[in-house]
């Protein structure tokens, strides 16, 4: 586990009930942040918050939809109750339908855009002014290697993640002088419930990474912790890979 001091500040992590978000929330809690554990699955959020508190940290569960602007506004207010909001990890996401573009349903396209891209806009819009008022902060948006390359049968996901990268760059440019850093993190394929976990699918995906395996949520959380800590104060607007060499090919 990485060690970077993030004490004395509150942090929002969306999609924190499972996978990468859960690992990020646990690391932030272990390193001193007060964590708002935000997830659509309220039970999962409560379980993760309990884990953080059980390990001696500070955390509160927040049950809601990251793709709803009003809920996102409430999440910022709830985090502010824990301390000045200086950290946000906008991580909630879904994989969506697997289909060729010619057969892709409008419903799934809209759903993926809403959860994977609109949610990041709503989050940034609510978080940035509050962080400026708090004297600065650091935001990580969860993109993907599929924020820079394509992947057949995943057009909505790929498009949304490319959008997250552009939005991250714009936010970084607009708020750099006001002390808020904004970066995108780009994981390769990570072993979480988001992935098809059949043996064939796991082997197919693992073989695409030069290191010959999938990543772990903790390996992504280590990078996120570094980016939201004061160890990375000259890093903003970046697209930070954690991909076992996938995009170097
Ligand atoms: P996961 O499925 O393990 O966890 C996602 C969490 O987000 C779940 O707890 C779910 O309840 C929550 N969630 C879904 N929709 C939500 C909404 N509208 N509002 C609030 N919470 C919501 O997924 P995983 O793998 O941890 O993914 C997290 C992020 O990482 C996603 O943005 C995903 O696109 C990204 N990512 C994942 C990769 C992978 O291979 N697992 C690779 C690259 C990026």
């Amino acid at each position: 586990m990485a060690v970077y001091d993030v004490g004395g500040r509150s942090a929002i992590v969306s999609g924190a009930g499972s996978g990468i978000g859960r690992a990020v929330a646990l690391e932030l809690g272990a390193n001193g942040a007060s964590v708002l554990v935000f997830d659509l699955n309220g039970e999962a959020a409560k379980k993760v918050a309990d884990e953080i508190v059980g390990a001696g940290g500070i955390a509160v569960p927040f049950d809601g939809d990251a793709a709803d602007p009003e809920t996102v506004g409430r999440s910022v207010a709830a985090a502010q109750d824990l301390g000045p909001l200086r950290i946000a990890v906008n991580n909630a996401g879904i994989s969506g339908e697997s289909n060729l573009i010619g057969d892709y349903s409008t419903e799934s396209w809209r759903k993926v855009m809403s959860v994977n891209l609109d949610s990041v806009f709503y989050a940034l819009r609510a978080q940035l002014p509050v962080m400026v008022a708090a004297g600065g902060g650091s935001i990580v948006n969860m993109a993907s290697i599929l924020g820079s390359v394509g992947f057949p049968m995943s057009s909505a996901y790929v498009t949304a993640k490319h959008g997250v990268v552009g939005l991250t760059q714009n936010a970084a440019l607009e708020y750099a002088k006001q002390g808020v850093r904004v970066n995108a993190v780009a994981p390769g394929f990570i072993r979480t419930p988001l992935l098809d976990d059949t043996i064939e699918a796991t082997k197919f995906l693992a073989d695409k990474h030069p290191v010959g395996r999938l990543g772990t949520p903790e390996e992504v959380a280590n990078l996120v912790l570094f980016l939201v800590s004061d160890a990375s104060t000259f890093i903003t607007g970046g697209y930070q890979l954690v991909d076992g060499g996938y995009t170097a090919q």
Side-chain angles (χ1 to χ4, degrees), residues 10-105:
S10 77
I12 298 174
V13 184
S14 72
S18 171
I20 294 170
R22 172 179 173 274
V24 168
L26 292 175
E27 282 225 12
L28 284 169
N31 285 274
S34 303
V35 188
L36 192 80
V37 182
F38 182 172
D39 204 287
L40 195 55
N41 180 338
E43 240 171 71
K46 183 169 179 325
K47 234 172 128 185
V48 172
D50 286 349
E51 266 187 87
I52 295 171
V53 172
I58 300 170
V60 169
F62 184 88
D63 176 357
D65 184 355
D68 175 61
E70 190 269 331
T71 304
V72 170
R74 281 195 292 109
S75 74
V76 169
Q80 284 278 88
D81 287 344
L82 300 175
L85 180 67
R86 306 285 295 274
I87 296 170
V89 182
N90 300 316
N91 163 81
I94 54 173
S95 52
E97 185 178 314
S98 180
N99 224 336
L100 292 171
I101 293 172
D103 298 321
Y104 213 90
S105 73

Side-chain angles (χ1 to χ4, degrees), residues 13-245:
V13 184
S14 72
S18 171
I20 294 170
R22 172 179 173 274
V24 168
L26 292 175
E27 282 225 12
L28 284 169
N31 285 274
S34 303
V35 188
L36 192 80
V37 182
F38 182 172
D39 204 287
L40 195 55
N41 180 338
E43 240 171 71
K46 183 169 179 325
K47 234 172 128 185
V48 172
D50 286 349
E51 266 187 87
I52 295 171
V53 172
I58 300 170
V60 169
F62 184 88
D63 176 357
D65 184 355
D68 175 61
E70 190 269 331
T71 304
V72 170
R74 281 195 292 109
S75 74
V76 169
Q80 284 278 88
D81 287 344
L82 300 175
L85 180 67
R86 306 285 295 274
I87 296 170
V89 182
N90 300 316
N91 163 81
I94 54 173
S95 52
E97 185 178 314
S98 180
N99 224 336
L100 292 171
I101 293 172
D103 298 321
Y104 213 90
S105 73
T106 305
E107 189 192 2
S108 185
W109 176 271
R110 293 261 174 257
K111 179 80 183 162
V112 172
M113 289 304 151
S114 165
V115 178
N116 291 9
L117 179 57
D118 295 356
S119 69
V120 179
F121 165 64
Y122 300 142
L124 291 172
R125 188 174 59 180
Q127 294 157 359
L128 284 162
V130 170
M131 285 195 192
V132 169
S138 179
I139 299 176
V140 165
N141 297 324
M142 197 55 64
S144 164
I145 46 173
L146 306 186
S148 65
V149 294
F151 196 79
M153 312 290 277
S154 303
S155 54
Y157 187 91
V158 164
T159 305
K161 293 298 186 184
H162 276 67
V164 168
V165 175
L167 185 53
T168 300
Q169 290 173 329
N170 238 66
L173 295 177
E174 292 175 15
Y175 288 85
K177 291 217 166 49
Q178 297 173 79
V180 185
R181 297 184 295 110
V182 190
N183 287 285
V185 159
F189 287 91
I190 309 298
R191 192 183 284 279
T192 75
L194 186 103
L195 292 190
D196 178 348
D197 65 354
T198 58
I199 291 170
E200 308 80 69
T202 303
K203 187 177 173 344
F204 170 77
L205 291 174
D207 286 349
K208 287 185 163 294
H209 299 74
V211 296
R213 64 172 176 86
L214 300 179
T216 67
E218 291 71 26
E219 287 173 314
V220 180
N222 285 337
L223 172 60
V224 173
L225 188 69
F226 166 69
L227 289 171
V228 298
S229 78
D230 294 339
S232 59
T233 43
F234 201 54
I235 303 179
T236 194
Y239 174 68
Q240 313 291 344
L241 296 165
V242 48
D243 73 347

